[in-house]
Amino acid sequence: MVKTDNFQRPVLSLRISITNRCNINCFYCHHDGIIPQEYEMTPKEIERIAQVAKNIGIRKIRLSGGEPLIRDDIIDIVTRISSLKFKDIGLTTNGTLLEKYAQSLKDAGLNRVNVSFDTLNPETYRFITKSSYVDQVKKGIKKAAEVGLYPVKINMVVMRDLNHQEIWDMFKFCKENGAILQLIELLKAESCPDTDFFDDYHYDISIIEEKLKVKADEIKTRYFMQDRKKYFLERGEIEIVRPMDNTEFCKNCTRLRITPDGKLKPCLLRNDNLVDLMEPLRLEYSDKELEKLFLESISNREPYYNQCGL
Ligand code: SAM
């Protein structure tokens, strides 16, 4: 049965960060709010945590990082999670290794994939990521759609005068390749040594949203996903991901997180209430005892931005 926290928020999904390592270096990256650690959970430990999550009613798993596809045991990890029969297993990737892994990921039981891809322009890509994988990422996206991962979503962080002019080209690319475009508003990243980028590149995504409202044939709201809006137009789809540092984001948060070193993280924006699961696993806690740790963590969940008195 689905568990609900003290603010009537159901806990529906678990985002497991399986590594802090990444093979590109986006200048704006917030590293999913995770402080770097040396230890990485083994596939067996990840499977056990997923099993306990399933026992307490979590229905969906998303694998993230760092870059999840740089783990050479990624297929083993997905296979183990898939054997637990979740409603949905997704993965967020920078796409650089997706062409290589798409078929095996699909065969292992992965359902969907989000590919972070901000630009089609090789120079802009190099500026953002300090790498030159743009063609590999395009091939990865095509391959993911071909092998039947569904949906394939493209996460495009929109940045002023860097890629905001490219939105319609990216939309066209997505439509041609069977993908859905998600436009993400740039967030100030506290974990980033240089936060000046925010003032330089922040672009208010509501400008685009206003245009979409006029152009769209249909608009839908995703209630369990921070009330995100989906705009259907020109036989394609654009989703808008609003900034996370606000009361609305917290009000609609249905997600728990696990850090790569095996700590439960009840809030994206906090690191002072983590609950270690590795020591209990090594001490051979029973499923019931591990479930208790999850439930305690859920009962301590509170909205980070709570100004409207949720
Ligand atoms: N390596 C994987 C990837 O590239 O998708 C997963 C990790 S990455 C941190 C997850 C997502 O966070 C990406 O879609 C990325 O664009 C987004 N992201 C990172 N820093 C951000 C920021 N400052 N503002 C908005 N989105 C950000």
Side-chain angles (χ1 to χ4, degrees):
M1 232 233 318
V2 174
K3 298 289 179 289
T4 303
D5 69 16
N6 296 332
F7 297 84
Q8 285 73 55
R9 300 177 300 176
V11 177
L12 303 175
S13 71
L14 186 67
R15 189 174 182 114
I16 310 179
S17 179
I18 59 173
T19 181
N20 279 314
R21 295 175 289 134
C22 192
N23 56 343
I24 61 173
N25 190 11
C26 301
F27 69 83
Y28 58 73
C29 186
H30 56 40
H31 304 283
D32 263 354
I34 288 168
I35 301 165
Q37 296 289 337
E38 290 295 306
Y39 185 72
E40 281 179 1
M41 290 177 288
T42 65
K44 215 171 154 197
E45 287 166 341
I46 294 170
E47 180 185 5
R48 184 86 194 283
I49 288 173
Q51 174 66 69
V52 176
K54 178 104 192 300
N55 295 351
I56 61 138
I58 285 178
R59 300 168 177 175
K60 295 181 183 182
I61 298 281
R62 176 161 293 272
L63 297 174
S64 183
E67 173 46 41
L69 297 188
I70 61 174
R71 277 194 64 154
D72 51 19
D73 50 7
I74 182 66
I75 301 303
D76 186 21
I77 293 171
V78 174
T79 306
R80 285 168 181 272
I81 294 175
S82 164
S83 73
L84 303 172
K85 307 279 175 243
F86 281 91
K87 193 174 158 210
D88 189 69
I89 310 173
L91 178 136
T92 306
T93 172
N94 61 33
T96 56
L97 294 164
L98 192 54
E99 189 188 19
K100 175 177 167 192
Y101 281 122
Q103 184 67 62
S104 333
L105 287 167
K106 172 74 183 163
D107 296 344
L110 187 77
N111 301 112
R112 58 173 70 216
V113 70
N114 283 35
V115 185
S116 306
F117 191 41
D118 300 329
T119 176
L120 298 161
N121 179 317
E123 264 175 52
T124 314
Y125 187 86
R126 182 182 291 279
F127 177 80
I128 295 172
T129 67
K130 328 277 183 306
S131 74
S132 48
Y133 293 122
V134 74
D135 287 334
Q136 264 113 303
V137 181
K138 284 185 195 168
K139 285 183 196 159
I141 292 165
K142 282 183 213 287
K143 183 81 180 182
E146 264 167 38
V147 303
L149 289 168
Y150 184 81
V152 177
K153 290 193 180 179
I154 307 306
N155 288 358
M156 177 184 188
V157 177
V158 180
M159 290 170 275
R160 182 161 46 89
D161 297 335
L162 191 57
N163 67 350
H164 89 263
Q165 322 86 321
E166 264 192 77
I167 289 172
W168 298 110
D169 290 343
M170 190 61 99
F171 181 47
K172 187 164 172 266
F173 169 82
C174 288
K175 281 197 299 180
E176 285 166 1
N177 291 284
I180 295 169
L181 180 58
Q182 285 204 126
L183 299 176
I184 302 179
E185 186 157 325
L186 183 68
L187 197 73
K188 212 174 223 166
E190 303 303 344
S191 48
C192 204
D194 168 20
T195 49
D196 288 348
F197 72 82
F198 183 80
D199 298 327
D200 294 344
Y201 297 112
H202 179 255
Y203 183 88
D204 182 353
I205 219 162
S206 59
I207 299 170
I208 305 160
E209 208 158 2
E210 288 311 311
K211 288 188 187 155
L212 288 173
K213 275 182 197 158
V214 179
K215 279 182 161 219
D217 305 316
E218 194 188 347
I219 304 172
K220 284 187 184 166
T221 303
R222 299 182 67 195
Y223 292 106
F224 286 121
M225 283 297 285
Q226 279 89 27
D227 281 357
R228 285 181 193 174
K229 295 276 185 297
K230 279 175 157 198
Y231 296 87
F232 296 86
L233 65 158
E234 298 170 13
R235 278 178 270 122
E237 197 176 325
I238 300 184
E239 218 169 288
I240 296 282
V241 183
R242 305 283 314 169
M244 302 161 186
D245 51 352
N246 59 57
T247 50
E248 277 305 295
F249 176 80
C250 292
K251 183 176 145 209
N252 298 303
C253 175
T254 57
R255 199 175 258 181
L256 277 182
R257 293 162 190 270
I258 303 283
T259 64
D261 59 336
K263 294 193 170 73
L264 254 173
K265 182 169 159 62
C267 174
L268 167 70
L269 299 157
R270 283 176 65 176
N271 278 307
D272 61 349
N273 60 351
L274 307 184
V275 177
D276 179 43
L277 294 173
M278 286 301 98
E279 187 66 9
L281 275 189
R282 285 177 203 126
L283 293 172
E284 298 186 6
Y285 273 34
S286 67
D287 276 5
K288 281 277 162 269
E289 287 169 311
L290 291 170
E291 284 166 28
K292 214 170 147 221
L293 293 177
F294 265 77
L295 296 178
E296 273 168 21
S297 188
I298 292 173
S299 70
N300 289 333
R301 255 165 66 88
E302 52 180 309
Y304 187 83
Y305 290 97
N306 194 19
Q307 293 95 324
C308 37
L310 271 168

